[in-house]
Amino acid sequence: GQQVMQIPQYQHVQEGEDFTTYCNSSTTLSNIQWYKQRPGGHPVFLIQLVKSGEVKKQKRLTFQFGEAKKNSSLHITATQTTDVGTYFCAGLVISSGSARQLTFGSGTQLTVLP
Amino acid sequence: DAGITQSPRHKVTETGTPVTLRCHQTENHRYMYWYRQDPGHGLRLIHYSYGVKDTDKGEVSDGYSVSRSKTEDFLLTLESATSSQTSVYFCAISESWTPLGNEQFFGPGTRLTVL
């Protein structure tokens, strides 16, 4: 079945350093979504990318969707302690059997040291 | 936050007992989902619903059943709980499912422990 791999699993950074997490899919994706989950909380939607090569920014966060629509990345510039949490990508593949299913990556747990 | 509640929020039960988790939404969204979250596995889809009495299986549906008799309620039942079903369960909703997908809003989660 469809798989979405996400690396790294854990990342510790000093406050002010940059952070990047990567997602790779075994199949071409229709779109990709990114979610953030704070410790003890629930996932919260951040953004959706649809177009090949698309780049979107939210303040210090930059999201990219690969040209082949099989990979994506989230980059945080100058991390802050408020960025702590687990970041998940979720890919959508359109097919008769999974038209309504997002497949989530395993997540990257970000720790920011003050 | 979207109007999604889950009950109970915590439950400890014994192997072999039936368990029902409830998800309630006040957003009138058509689509509802049940996920389980385990360390190293992210979120895995158990079942989803695309309307009242319309449900389908997800990636890890074995040992689980669902029902949706009203738009606002989506129930997840473990007919005979096993220790492998110890997990955190999240309910999610989305307004629609266009070919390009739509964002999902998650409930607060239910922590289930099966002894």
Side-chain angles (χ1 to χ4, degrees):
Chain A
Q2 179 196 354
Q3 286 193 334
V4 176
M5 309 301 293
Q6 191 173 353
I7 58 169
Q9 189 172 359
Y10 303 96
Q11 184 77 57
H12 295 238
V13 299
Q14 209 71 36
E15 188 173 17
E17 292 182 340
D18 292 356
F19 159 77
T20 305
T21 174
Y22 301 90
C23 259
N24 287 287
S25 170
S26 55
T27 55
T28 302
L29 301 171
S30 175
N31 66 23
I32 194 157
Q33 299 178 3
W34 286 90
Y35 292 79
K36 177 184 178 180
Q37 184 176 21
R38 287 197 163 95
H42 58 274
V44 175
F45 175 82
L46 293 176
I47 208 161
Q48 175 174 274
L49 304 172
V50 176
K51 300 176 183 177
S52 170
E54 189 170 14
V55 178
K56 287 188 176 181
K57 293 189 175 184
Q58 289 180 349
K59 298 183 180 178
R60 294 178 295 103
L61 277 61
T62 301
F63 304 84
Q64 292 188 324
F65 201 9
E67 293 290 341
K69 300 184 76 173
K70 285 188 172 182
N71 58 77
S72 182
S73 64
L74 158 60
H75 179 81
I76 302 178
T77 303
T79 55
Q80 300 174 358
T81 54
T82 54
D83 296 324
V84 165
T86 301
Y87 293 84
F88 293 97
C89 60
L92 174 68
V93 174
I94 297 294
S95 69
S96 59
S98 63
R100 298 180 179 88
Q101 297 185 29
L102 282 177
T103 299
F104 281 79
S106 54
T108 295
Q109 187 175 318
L110 174 63
T111 301
V112 180
L113 305 170
Chain B
D1 283 347
I4 310 168
T5 57
Q6 292 184 231
S7 59
R9 294 292 314 278
H10 302 270
K11 186 170 183 67
V12 179
T13 190
E14 294 186 348
T15 298
T17 59
V19 175
T20 296
L21 308 182
R22 180 181 183 238
C23 177
H24 179 79
Q25 60 142 330
T26 57
E27 304 297 323
N28 200 35
H29 283 4
R30 178 179 175 185
Y31 295 90
M32 300 186 75
Y33 314 82
W34 276 108
Y35 292 90
R36 61 178 289 172
Q37 184 173 37
D38 305 288
H41 289 279
L43 292 149
R44 292 182 292 175
L45 183 66
I46 305 171
H47 283 279
Y48 65 95
S49 170
Y50 47 98
V52 173
K53 296 187 180 179
D54 292 322
T55 65
D56 204 350
K57 295 179 180 180
E59 177 189 0
V60 290
S61 59
D62 287 349
Y64 302 94
S65 62
V66 291
S67 65
R68 191 170 178 200
S69 59
K70 298 185 290 185
T71 298
E72 57 266 35
D73 290 326
F74 193 30
L75 304 181
L76 176 71
T77 297
L78 291 66
E79 300 290 348
S80 177
T82 66
S83 58
S84 64
Q85 293 176 311
T86 292
S87 187
V88 179
Y89 291 86
F90 286 100
C91 172
I93 64 174
S94 66
E95 186 172 6
S96 66
W97 196 275
T98 68
L100 297 180
N102 205 330
E103 63 185 281
Q104 295 189 9
F105 300 95
F106 285 80
T110 294
R111 184 173 295 275
L112 175 67
T113 302
V114 183
L115 301 175

